[in-house]
Amino acid sequence: MTNAKPAEHGFDTDRLAAIDAFVKARYLDTGLLPHAQLLVAREGAVVHLSSQGPAREGEDAAINDRSLFRIASMTKPVTSVAFMMLVEEGRVALDTPVHHVLPELKNVGVYAGGGAGVPFATKATDEPMRMVDLLRHTAGFTYGFQNRSNIDAAHRELKLESWHGGHDLDGFVAELGKLPLEFSPGTQWNYSVATDVLGAVVQRVSGMSLDRFFGTRIFQPLGMHDTFFAVPEDKIDRLTDCYAFVPGQGRQMYDRGAASAWSRIPRLVSGGGGLVSTALDYHRFCAMCLNGGVLEGTRILGRKTIELMTINHLPGKADLSVMSKSLFSETQNAGTGFGLGFAVTIDVARSMMPGSVGEYYWGGMFSTAFFIDPVERINMVFMTQLSPSSLYPIRRELKTMIYAALT
């Protein structure tokens, strides 16, 4: 896990340094991003870790390897791993109907009309929603920010996804069960609150709160001591400022590190997007995955479970360009399948980026990202704090330049 010489691990040092110069000139000097941190590793050894830009507005201190970042949807793979740990224990299965664990979702139907003040009409699902549908986003759920349907409008009206609002995880599931699905489970793909629902499954099956399960079963064993839903008081000085892009106004403060909403445990613990972490901590999670479920002698999952999670599970082996009805997700669709908690590259040519078949990845709304390439044995973690993540093509640029640095 320690820093290693790039040349000894098949990387060109000058080409890795060129990535930092590119990020500084294009994104930092222009003010497009507040800061940027890039970690590149091969076989678990960190060959490149750069930190550029101030941690907080009006302060000189730059970000460093102890800086804390809101990783948003990079929480989803952690929730997926937690669920698969319970699968390995025989306590639940991928084909278990979701309502067997969450009876609040037993009678949920598919949208057949209504909304905007008119009662929803529904029809029965073709097949029951199964756990695999939650993991691969084929459950029929949506997100309030999709801005595409009367159902996501209901999410916004009910403030369903508000972390510090009226619902805890059980209450959230109960309210969700009153809304229709966008489509019958297994027939389409939509980026959604499915992983939050999966977090509720982890709670019910394990009998532990999601944050406690993460802490005791994943973070402590992996040595991820800087990953949590609420930043402890003695670490809040390490939390970076977070920004949002506002059309016509540019980059605006969204959440100050010193007075952050992430300094208190949310009422709705979000398995879909709530964690704070560091690049080095998330690298440990990536290294565990790359190593087939084990890190430094501590096994989290079995090797074959990781293999199962990182193959394409979309029906008919389709890619997202065929299956997706999402207005927004943390990936492009061509050549991309979806596994159990990760996007998976299934056709490198169609992705139009260098990479490997079987590489898996995801990102978060504040423009953080990671990828794991089991063929080249590489993983990357990128940290910054600006939403939305779709604003700039930096993920594509970083990936292209990292592969270009391979010798």
Side-chain angles (χ1 to χ4, degrees):
M1 301 291 291
T2 53
N3 281 22
K5 291 178 179 175
E8 292 174 2
H9 290 270
F11 277 100
D12 183 308
T13 306
D14 292 340
R15 286 190 162 215
L16 288 174
I19 304 174
D20 299 335
F22 169 83
V23 170
K24 182 178 185 296
R26 178 163 292 187
Y27 290 103
L28 303 182
D29 292 350
T30 56
L32 298 180
L33 291 179
H35 44 240
Q37 189 169 73
L38 176 65
L39 182 152
V40 181
R42 198 166 201 187
E43 292 287 3
V46 176
V47 297
H48 184 81
L49 177 57
S50 62
S51 304
Q52 302 183 85
R56 292 184 174 180
E57 189 176 79
E59 296 181 18
D60 293 334
I63 59 168
N64 59 37
D65 60 9
R66 298 178 74 247
S67 294
L68 294 164
F69 301 88
R70 302 152 193 81
I71 61 169
S73 288
M74 280 164 57
T75 305
K76 289 180 170 73
V78 181
T79 305
S80 304
V81 162
F83 175 81
M84 294 306 291
M85 293 169 78
L86 298 172
V87 170
E88 287 192 336
E89 293 167 7
R91 299 166 76 175
V92 66
L94 286 174
D95 61 354
T96 301
V98 176
H99 71 264
H100 285 192
V101 176
L102 303 175
E104 301 96 317
L105 300 178
K106 185 172 177 24
N107 298 313
V108 70
V110 179
Y111 180 80
V118 179
F120 283 119
T122 62
K123 58 187 179 185
T125 60
D126 300 335
E127 295 281 339
M129 184 194 304
R130 296 183 171 90
M131 296 300 175
V132 68
D133 293 308
L134 299 179
L135 286 145
R136 67 185 183 185
H137 291 289
T138 56
F141 293 125
T142 190
Y143 263 131
F145 60 69
Q146 292 287 5
N147 285 306
R148 215 197 66 251
S149 71
N150 285 338
I151 304 165
D152 60 57
H155 275 237
R156 296 191 297 277
E157 189 180 331
L158 295 167
K159 295 185 169 60
L160 250 192
E161 296 153 40
S162 172
W163 296 353
H164 295 282
H167 302 299
D168 61 8
L169 200 43
D170 290 332
F172 166 78
V173 171
E175 286 302 308
L176 201 59
K178 299 172 186 175
L179 298 178
L181 300 174
E182 300 230 331
F183 49 84
S184 196
T187 61
Q188 296 183 69
W189 188 92
N190 191 40
Y191 193 41
S192 72
V193 297
T195 317
D196 287 286
V197 176
L198 191 70
V201 171
V202 171
Q203 281 198 166
R204 295 275 177 97
V205 173
S206 70
M208 296 168 70
S209 67
L210 189 65
D211 55 326
R212 187 157 166 261
F213 188 98
F214 280 7
T216 59
R217 297 290 308 273
I218 300 174
F219 300 152
Q220 287 173 25
L222 288 179
M224 295 172 65
H225 302 306
D226 286 327
T227 306
F228 20 65
F229 283 105
V231 181
E233 197 175 333
D234 63 351
K235 296 186 178 184
I236 199 71
D237 61 317
R238 293 162 52 193
L239 182 63
T240 51
D241 284 345
C242 187
Y243 299 83
F245 181 84
V246 179
Q249 297 176 52
R251 178 160 64 84
Q252 302 292 312
M253 184 66 70
Y254 174 79
D255 182 71
R256 286 192 188 278
S260 176
W262 277 261
S263 65
R264 58 191 194 276
I265 193 78
R267 181 159 166 75
L268 177 63
V269 173
S270 171
L275 288 173
V276 169
S277 191
T278 64
L280 286 169
D281 260 23
Y282 208 85
H283 164 60
R284 295 185 72 81
F285 178 79
C286 292
M288 177 274 294
C289 294
L290 183 65
N291 291 343
V294 67
L295 181 69
E296 295 170 357
T298 298
R299 183 163 292 284
I300 300 296
L301 283 174
R303 176 173 61 86
K304 298 301 287 187
T305 302
I306 293 285
E307 287 178 16
L308 179 66
M309 294 178 75
T310 56
I311 55 177
N312 183 23
H313 284 260
L314 295 179
K317 297 185 178 176
D319 76 354
L320 290 178
S321 67
V322 174
M323 291 285 295
S324 176
K325 61 182 290 180
S326 260
L327 214 59
F328 171 82
S329 79
E330 297 288 348
T331 180
Q332 51 144 46
N333 294 334
T336 305
F338 210 85
L340 305 179
F342 305 91
V344 182
T345 299
I346 56 176
D347 188 331
V348 176
R350 291 199 67 211
S351 79
M352 294 197 285
M353 278 183 282
S356 302
V357 171
E359 167 200 305
Y360 51 101
Y361 61 93
W362 205 240
M365 70 177 287
F366 300 118
S367 304
T368 62
F370 77 96
F371 75 77
I372 300 168
D373 182 337
V375 178
E376 297 289 349
R377 307 291 295 167
I378 295 169
N379 69 273
M380 176 212 81
V381 181
F382 177 70
M383 296 293 202
T384 188
Q385 299 281 255
L386 176 73
S387 74
S389 59
S390 54
L391 209 54
Y392 308 121
I394 188 164
R395 293 174 181 172
R396 169 188 287 269
E397 292 159 351
L398 289 172
K399 190 163 179 274
T400 300
M401 295 182 83
I402 289 166
Y403 278 107
L406 270 180
T407 59

